[in-house]
Amino acid sequence: MRELLALTLANVWRWRLRAIFTLATLVVAFTVLGLMLPIERVFNMGVKVANADRLIVANKASLMQSLPQRYQERIASVPGVASVVRYAFFGAFYQEPTNGVLALATDPKEFVALMPEMKFPSPKELQDWYEDPTSIAVGRTLADKNGWKVGDMVPLYSVLYPRKDGGNSWTFRIATIFDGRDANSNTQSLMLHFRYFDDMRAYGQGSVGWFNVRVADARQADAVAQAIDTLFANAGSATHSATEEAFTQEFMRQVGNFSLMVVLALTAVFFTLVLVVANSLSESVNSRLPEFALLRTLGFRGRTLASLVLAENLLLCLAGGGAGALLAVGAIPLLRRYSEMLASIGFWWQDLAWALGLLVAVALLTSLAPAWRVWRSPLAANLGRTA
Amino acid sequence: MKHDQPAVELVGLVKAYGRGAALVPVLDNLSMTVRRGEFVAIMGPSGSGKTSLLNLMGGLDRPDAGQVRIDGRALDGMTDTELADWRARSVGFVFQFYNLIPVLSALDNVALPLTLSCPGAAERRARASAALELVGLSHRLGHRPQMMSGGEQQRVAIARAIVAGPGLLLCDEPTGDLDRRSGEQVLALLRLLVQRSGTTIVMVTHDAHAAATADRIVRVDKGALAADAIDRGLETHHA
């Protein structure tokens, strides 16, 4: 079969310009696909990690509007509420304004109790964080991105909160670095002591960004959320409560239905690919019908020649699509490094499986008509079209 | 070596192309026989049905009526797959424009038919080399068709046609695209095949000089055998 392999390889590269354009289309399409899937995963990560037994209670007007701290006790008194943790958005960057850091002020012990999906390396480090109000706990992704380690002193510039003693620069000591319990866990943030933050900030004392509420029974989450909102319906700051999942989905809807956009984009890419590859292959096969007819006169069966067409197309698709997928895999670390929003982007083998499946589908779909033509077209008539 | 047994038997062949008012009759109740080891030239004006006749003999096309028997076996009962297998074993083709695969070397072109019957790559290369040596092209093994003259390309095509050892060689204007000298080389080669290995050759040609190389000349006109079939040293043999 060496001769047939040589023939297949030679035919793929026979009309170089056409092959290059088709390959380029495949490379671009599969680079896009290879990046879209992980990006879509990042956008949906929040939804997937959201716990059904946790509520977010925010200002009804906007997440950017604060709530009074005193709400915490009243929320805790609502039947069905197991615990309440307060949060404030610190709004910081590290070294460069472009290097934003997701820093949240919260109460360490309550945070750890509320977030079982976060894994802390040792009780000693955790204790250290609890006891030192100027210390912080940093997520692994964020620490790795900035090259931080336990014990480092980290100066952060808060664009929202100047210190009482002047200046927007806050320096914290890293007490611990936490990991996620699984690949979906978000470790792009850092946590600082709410009490310290509240004491030291120049304004805003007594206010929080939002509350995170654990309900005793996840099945009652919606009812508890409604009870909380009812409680503050006529207060100075009305609340909007929802499960983490619903809250994240609401937020995602504001950004746009990214999953739908991905599906639409991939569908467009797929059909464009099918048209481009089918056109290229049809022209290639059409111009070689006399050669296929000759091979049939030599005794090659129609289905063998149809298989050659499929093999040729599969080779082209795998070369172009494979290169595109590898480019995407190579680009993922760059995205992680240079895009704060995509800091948790990662490569999954299932993406490659998707790409491979799509490649085979494109190859099969676009080979059908040309392969059928090679198999069934009148032999003598095609042979007459000599080169 | 010649035998009395018929290699090719054509009985009452009818073939037309097109439909309805556009129907063009090509062969009209044509019958003829070619004996084993015989070299027969078929001559006739353009459109007389010569190439159609050759296509029917090679199982490249099917008659509307009549029967084609090669070595006693009727082709009309064979499926497309059986015909393909039969062609691989029993018949070689040489065309006017060589029909070589341009992206393959001479050696790979000649070895192509062997991929169907000969599993060993080394043996295929050896047999293809031997076939190219027979046609005087052992120095051109690695050359692609476009690097060779027309005469050389036609000799590669002949090597490809005979490499699997078919008993029947069908040649459609094999010298039609060649200069006189190259044409004579090709004809001498065909003659040599008949003498050395007893191959049966049916050659369609316009060229009276080329036809003169054959044992017998059969004239076809308007889809039927003309009366003036010429036997050169053998008995006249047409139905």
Side-chain angles (χ1 to χ4, degrees):
Chain A
M1 292 296 126
R2 193 190 71 85
E3 295 82 1
L4 291 183
L5 184 64
L7 183 61
T8 304
L9 287 172
N11 279 331
V12 168
W13 201 233
R14 188 160 175 179
W15 289 280
R16 291 188 183 176
L17 199 59
R18 185 190 292 163
I20 287 169
F21 282 140
T22 309
L23 280 171
T25 307
L26 284 158
V27 168
V28 170
F30 278 85
T31 305
V32 170
L33 171 74
L35 291 175
M36 285 288 227
L37 291 176
I39 289 173
E40 191 268 347
R41 205 162 42 239
V42 169
F43 271 73
N44 280 331
M45 189 179 283
V47 177
K48 285 172 186 158
V49 300
N51 273 21
D53 67 346
R54 292 201 299 248
L55 303 175
I56 287 178
V57 180
N59 193 305
K60 189 177 181 180
S62 159
L63 188 61
M64 301 310 292
Q65 300 287 322
S66 61
L67 289 171
Q69 274 188 44
R70 62 176 183 279
Y71 280 16
Q72 186 166 8
E73 280 184 23
R74 297 181 66 189
I75 292 170
S77 68
V78 172
V81 169
S83 62
V84 185
V85 181
R86 58 186 172 173
Y87 286 91
F89 184 59
F90 186 60
F93 65 79
Y94 174 62
Q95 292 181 335
E96 299 292 333
T98 52
N99 188 19
V101 170
L102 178 56
L104 304 175
T106 187
D107 296 303
K109 284 184 181 172
E110 287 79 354
F111 168 77
V112 171
L114 189 75
M115 297 285 181
E117 65 265 34
M118 299 306 172
K119 197 169 65 178
F120 290 85
S122 72
K124 188 182 169 192
E125 283 185 9
L126 202 53
Q127 194 60 36
D128 182 24
W129 181 38
Y130 291 160
E131 289 175 1
D132 179 1
T134 65
S135 69
I136 54 177
V138 182
R140 177 69 62 191
T141 307
L142 182 63
D144 289 348
K145 180 187 171 191
N146 292 296
W148 295 339
K149 56 187 185 301
V150 171
D152 283 354
M153 300 299 289
V154 177
L156 296 177
Y157 188 96
S158 174
V159 293
L160 298 177
Y161 295 105
R163 296 167 60 93
K164 266 183 189 168
D165 51 3
N168 288 61
S169 184
W170 299 61
T171 299
F172 300 100
R173 181 180 63 85
I174 298 177
T176 185
I177 293 173
F178 58 86
D179 292 283
R181 286 198 191 278
D182 59 53
N184 281 332
S185 301
N186 186 339
T187 57
Q188 302 170 53
S189 55
L190 68 80
M191 303 293 154
L192 54 109
H193 284 252
F194 191 96
R195 191 161 294 159
Y196 173 73
F197 159 73
D198 203 35
D199 286 347
M200 296 300 290
R201 60 180 166 175
Y203 62 87
Q205 279 81 6
S207 65
V208 303
W210 66 94
F211 295 102
N212 214 331
V213 173
R214 179 183 293 284
V215 293
D217 181 355
R219 289 168 298 182
Q220 299 298 316
D222 287 337
V224 173
Q226 198 170 358
I228 293 171
D229 289 346
T230 303
L231 184 63
F232 299 110
N234 297 314
S237 300
T239 59
H240 170 59
S241 307
T243 61
E244 281 185 351
E245 185 176 357
F247 200 88
T248 309
Q249 282 174 339
E250 282 173 20
F251 179 74
M252 295 305 294
R253 270 199 293 275
Q254 288 170 21
V255 176
N257 191 334
F258 197 76
S259 291
L260 180 65
M261 284 191 284
V262 167
V263 169
L264 290 177
L266 291 184
T267 305
V269 165
F270 180 77
F271 281 105
T272 307
L273 252 190
V274 166
L275 291 176
V276 169
V277 176
N279 182 52
S280 173
L281 185 67
S282 288
E283 283 200 17
S284 169
V285 164
N286 198 34
S287 60
R288 284 184 287 140
L289 282 178
E291 285 177 25
F292 286 112
L294 169 87
L295 290 170
R296 285 173 68 187
T297 68
L298 297 181
F300 285 90
R301 295 177 181 181
R303 65 167 174 266
T304 306
L305 300 183
S307 304
L308 282 183
V309 170
L310 176 62
E312 186 182 317
N313 200 28
L314 202 55
L315 201 63
L316 187 75
C317 287
L318 286 176
L326 288 178
L327 265 179
V329 171
I332 284 174
L334 294 177
L335 284 179
R336 194 162 46 224
R337 183 173 180 83
Y338 293 110
S339 169
E340 185 186 344
M341 186 180 271
L342 300 174
S344 65
I345 193 170
F347 161 73
W348 281 16
W349 286 105
Q350 71 185 48
D351 295 346
L352 270 192
W354 259 102
L356 189 65
L358 199 60
L359 276 172
V360 172
V362 168
L364 282 175
L365 204 60
T366 54
S367 298
L368 282 179
W372 180 255
R373 189 162 187 201
V374 164
W375 190 345
R376 304 306 300 179
S377 60
L379 178 48
N382 287 332
L383 201 57
R385 298 170 53 190
T386 44
Chain B
M1 193 172 78
K2 295 178 173 59
H3 306 280
D4 289 335
Q5 295 91 336
V8 179
E9 295 171 273
L10 308 178
V11 182
L13 288 186
V14 175
K15 182 70 184 176
Y17 293 108
R19 280 183 182 176
L23 191 75
V24 179
V26 178
L27 295 176
D28 180 18
N29 196 29
L30 188 149
S31 299
M32 68 176 281
T33 303
V34 178
R35 287 162 295 164
R36 265 188 209 155
E38 193 178 14
F39 184 175
V40 173
I42 299 176
M43 294 190 74
S46 292
S48 59
K50 304 184 299 294
T51 297
S52 297
L53 193 58
L54 212 63
N55 287 342
L56 294 177
M57 284 186 212
L60 304 183
D61 206 352
R62 293 177 187 270
D64 298 333
Q67 197 172 52
V68 178
R69 282 198 294 268
I70 308 292
D71 286 329
R73 187 174 181 192
L75 300 190
D76 51 318
M78 293 188 194
T79 63
D80 285 350
T81 301
E82 286 169 338
L83 271 177
D85 294 345
W86 169 78
R87 279 196 297 269
R89 286 191 312 272
S90 309
V91 62
F93 293 88
V94 178
F95 302 100
Q96 179 177 1
F97 298 106
Y98 335 124
N99 290 49
L100 298 176
I101 307 285
V103 290
L104 295 182
S105 67
L107 187 69
D108 284 340
N109 263 291
V110 175
L112 260 184
L114 295 176
T115 57
L116 298 164
S117 57
C118 179
E123 189 187 340
R124 285 201 301 273
R125 290 177 71 82
R127 286 176 63 179
S129 297
L132 282 165
E133 191 173 350
L134 181 70
V135 300
L137 290 175
S138 54
H139 60 296
R140 294 289 216 172
L141 302 185
H143 289 88
R144 289 189 174 184
Q146 58 270 30
M147 299 159 75
M148 291 186 273
S149 69
E152 287 174 323
Q153 289 187 56
Q154 193 61 296
R155 279 147 66 197
V156 173
I158 291 172
R160 182 183 61 193
I162 62 170
V163 71
L168 176 64
L169 196 59
L170 301 175
C171 309
D172 191 0
E173 302 278 9
T175 59
D177 197 44
L178 302 179
D179 58 50
R180 186 120 190 139
R181 185 168 165 274
S182 299
E184 280 176 359
Q185 284 179 337
V186 165
L187 291 169
L189 194 56
L190 295 178
R191 191 78 242 168
L192 181 72
L193 288 171
V194 173
Q195 287 167 354
R196 186 183 280 191
S197 52
T199 308
T200 306
I201 297 180
V202 178
M203 175 177 73
V204 163
T205 183
H206 273 104
D207 182 359
H209 176 74
T213 315
D215 298 327
R216 184 156 60 102
I217 300 172
V218 172
R219 294 188 185 276
V220 178
D221 193 14
K222 295 177 183 170
L225 286 191
D228 58 342
I230 298 168
D231 191 322
R232 294 168 46 80
L234 297 163
E235 68 272 33
T236 302
H237 202 95
H238 74 266

